[in-house]
Amino acid sequence: MGINSKPVVFAVISALVILVGTVVTVFVPLFMPSTQPVSRFVKPYTAIEQEGRDIYMREGCNNCHTQTVRPLRTEVLRYGEYSKAEEFAWDRPFLWGSRRTGPDLNRIGGKYPDSWHYKHMQSPQGMFALSNMPPYGWLAANRLDVSNSFRKTRILGYGYSQEQVNQQIAEYKARVTASGYDSKETRDLVTPAGMRGDLTEMDAIIAYMQKLGRDVKSMEAKQ
Amino acid sequence: MNDTGYDYSIVRGFAFSALLWLIVGLAIGLWIAFEMFNPALNITPWLSFGRLRVVHTNALGLGFGLSGIFATSYYMLQRLTRTPLPFPRLAKAHLYLFDIAIALAAISLMAGMNTTKEYAELEWPLDIGVVVIWVMFAINVFAILIKRQEKQMYISLWYLIAMTVTIAVLYIVNNLEIPVTLFKSYSIYAGANDANVEWWYGHNIVGFIFTVPVLAMFYYFLPKATGLPIYSHRLSIVSFWSLIFAYLWTGAHHLMLTPLPEWIQTVAIAFSIFLIAPSWGSVVNGYYTLQGNWDQMRSNYLTKFFIIGITFYGLQTLQGPLQGLRTLNAFFHYTDWVVGHVHMGTMGWVAMIISASFYYMIPNIMGRELYSIRLANIHFWLILVGQLTWTITMWIGGIQQGAMWKATNPDGSLMYSFLDALTSLYPYYRMRFAGGVVYFIGILIFAWNLVQTARQKPAAAEA
């Protein structure tokens, strides 16, 4: 009886059947520029922000935090302006998440000073007694590995030269280790003495937090 | 080997691998469930929630789910084609490589090598390993089908063919990435496209691991265990083709109200609603198979595993499309409701059917009786009560969290802080943990029962 006695034909037909929906809803949108529009206001991550993003991924932060604010009244009230597609043009991979055990982070950039983040990463419970976020104080004891930073930005197509990447790293290091850094006191408090003159993983993840959602503000201001 | 020439050692090997990863995955699940209300358990980086959650999902989805599928597939393929396995040594290598890969997966995820794409978190060298392992499996699948002695391919074989083809497509497309180092890579897709590819994969990997092959088991082992033929062959044909056609359109219901183009979301909603029909085709087929023999729910310990399992499948496939509707999704998405939904499917449907299939299959291939039917009954009730406690608690918690996120004061301002909504869930998290413990005890009894079955003398030797 028909294809039920022809396994190879059956497999080919099955493949065609599953490919219809796949082509229409996944493959075709890949080639439509409207799926992932770009905006000149949304800049790629700096080498440091990208390293921070990689630490965010390594620690699986996306398991508890989303990065997409939905166009719902209470959600915009809670987090800020809803997310626009343009914001994610440089995100490989996307980090929208699927569960909010912790709050959404797509509008976290600029919401708090760096010192808030140092304190909070070091001990979420010190800031909110009943928080269930794991403490990440140990990130401040890890020197940031920048040996692949240039390679990473090149693969991601950010268009920086080796010199630009070196400069971004040096500038950020100078910023957080300067005596005039506005969050110096807290940074010194959470960073082991031997690491205070270096860039740590904590510095990088905070740089990433502060980047989130900032460019879109200038995009909206100009529109 | 035995007088039929069938290779059952591979079936046994994968079955006991499944039990091992099931216990490991559940133990990690309990650990992270405890972390949800007591963060002091985040003792070291590799025991922190963010890293362990993916070990939990991978150990159970890939470790337990896939080895359960491989065990039953190698069994069903040989029995349904009346043909011995063409390449038993390839299958043996498949088993060893698979267990090594799962162990490496667990270690690498604990070390933080995580691509963050859900259910595809493994880094690129392990992705290549997974593809190699899948090809090794597929070679035996198609070789045995081509050499088969039985002309007609039974329903279960259709589902296994669809699984073999589809998983390969899903896994390869979603895992295309550019390596930076041996332990780090970036997705080739960006932003909304990456999200769309990921949830096309995420939704369908669940479909083609936790639905399609489990239906293959259901259609094979239900008639075997009950002695009753499947009610309608025609219904199963219609259900099969419409299921595998419609499934692939629905991934974007995981991305409702995100910046993904609206038309993709809307198409996904429509096909999600349509999917109720083929899903319930199998549910109805299962129920009608038992018509006139419902006393088996009391007299045959295996029947209730299958019927309660397919009932949870039915509930799952109603709940899923409803959650996909925009208004309901706006309320439920990102809450624990969804977590409850997933676990009804995995704990209530997948584990029930794999348990029952193993109870039928293991004594059968080893030529002996099950060690204890009484223990199997206790196992059934413990995992049923454990799962219901678990999932109902999460649904209530999800409704509460969704309501608190939305609540506003008369002046239009938010009534609760994010932390208020989170901390109000802690009683539910404790209850969920308790449900998980009950479930875990049930699973330990299941494993003990099968280990004792394997250890006792064969019935033939006693005669």
Side-chain angles (χ1 to χ4, degrees), chain B residues 179-336:
Chain B
V180 179
T181 66
L182 190 59
F183 308 118
K184 174 77 190 168
S185 64
Y186 292 118
S187 173
I188 65 161
Y189 316 104
N193 276 312
D194 194 47
N196 195 31
V197 173
E198 156 59 25
W199 282 109
W200 162 78
Y201 165 88
H203 181 71
N204 288 290
I205 202 80
V206 171
F208 285 80
I209 289 184
F210 288 157
T211 299
V212 165
V214 184
L215 284 172
M217 295 176 209
F218 181 78
Y219 278 117
Y220 178 80
F221 289 105
L222 176 73
K224 282 289 179 184
T226 57
L228 306 165
I230 281 294
Y231 166 69
S232 167
H233 195 70
R234 176 174 297 174
L235 181 58
S236 68
I237 294 177
V238 177
S239 299
F240 171 82
W241 289 106
S242 47
L243 184 89
I244 69 163
F245 175 73
Y247 230 106
L248 282 292
W249 297 74
T250 59
H253 67 209
H254 290 255
L255 295 167
M256 214 50 71
L257 300 171
T258 67
L260 186 75
E262 201 169 341
W263 71 268
I264 307 180
Q265 300 178 28
T266 306
V267 167
I269 297 174
F271 277 89
S272 301
I273 299 295
F274 173 79
L275 259 184
I276 296 173
S279 307
W280 273 76
S282 292
V283 177
V284 167
N285 224 341
Y287 286 160
Y288 272 81
T289 296
L290 239 67
Q291 63 180 342
N293 293 282
W294 282 95
D295 58 303
Q296 281 207 20
M297 288 294 278
R298 252 178 303 130
S299 58
N300 181 348
Y301 77 102
L302 284 174
T303 308
K304 61 178 175 292
F305 277 92
F306 287 112
I307 293 302
I308 297 298
I310 198 79
T311 301
F312 282 123
Y313 174 68
L315 295 174
Q316 184 80 359
T317 52
L318 277 181
Q319 199 185 44
L322 291 179
Q323 285 165 202
L325 299 176
R326 266 198 188 87
T327 29
L328 293 178
N329 190 275
F331 185 84
F332 286 120
H333 201 195
Y334 308 126
T335 72
D336 276 315

Side-chain angles (χ1 to χ4, degrees), chain B residues 1 22 34 66 82 85 103 143 148 154 160 162 182 208 212 219 234 257 299 334 353 375 382 451 458:
Chain B
M1 281 287 172
L22 177 59
F34 203 86
L66 279 185
R82 297 180 200 274
L85 203 60
R148 75 190 187 288
Y154 180 66
L160 293 183
L182 190 59
F208 285 80
V212 165
Y219 278 117
R234 176 174 297 174
L257 300 171
S299 58
Y334 308 126
I353 301 299
L375 282 180
L382 286 178
V451 168

Side-chain angles (χ1 to χ4, degrees), chain A residues 8-48:
Chain A
V8 176
V9 177
F10 194 99
V12 171
I13 293 176
S14 304
L16 293 175
V17 168
I18 64 144
L19 280 172
V20 181
T22 302
V23 168
V24 175
T25 63
V26 181
F27 292 172
V28 169
L30 273 178
F31 298 97
M32 294 166 68
S34 57
T35 310
Q36 179 53 70
V38 290
S39 159
R40 67 197 164 86
F41 295 108
V42 178
K43 302 277 187 303
Y45 300 97
T46 66
I48 295 292

Side-chain angles (χ1 to χ4, degrees), chain A residues 12 28 35 37 39 43 58 67 117 127 133-134 139 146 220:
Chain A
V12 171
V28 169
T35 310
S39 159
K43 302 277 187 303
R58 185 187 74 194
Q67 288 188 18
H117 287 286
M127 209 174 251
M133 177 168 149
L139 289 177
V146 292
E220 278 150 6

Side-chain angles (χ1 to χ4, degrees), chain A residues 4-5 21-22 25 36 54 58-59 63 74 78 88 91-94 98-100 102 130 132 151-152, chain B residues 36 50-51 53 112 118 148 153 180 186-187 189 191-192 194 196 200 249 334 336 405-406 416 418 426:
Chain A
N4 288 343
S5 53
T22 302
T25 63
Q36 179 53 70
D54 288 343
R58 185 187 74 194
E59 298 312 323
N63 287 301
T74 47
R78 190 179 297 281
F88 306 98
D91 284 16
R92 288 168 50 192
F94 81 114
S98 60
R99 168 80 183 96
R100 280 181 190 151
L130 290 172
N132 64 353
R151 195 172 147 73
K152 285 176 176 178
Chain B
M36 289 288 281
R51 293 195 191 177
R53 188 240 168 190
E118 276 188 75
R148 75 190 187 288
M153 294 194 297
V180 179
Y186 292 118
S187 173
Y189 316 104
D194 194 47
N196 195 31
W200 162 78
W249 297 74
Y334 308 126
D336 276 315
W405 285 347
K406 271 181 83 78
Y416 300 102
F418 189 87
Y426 290 171

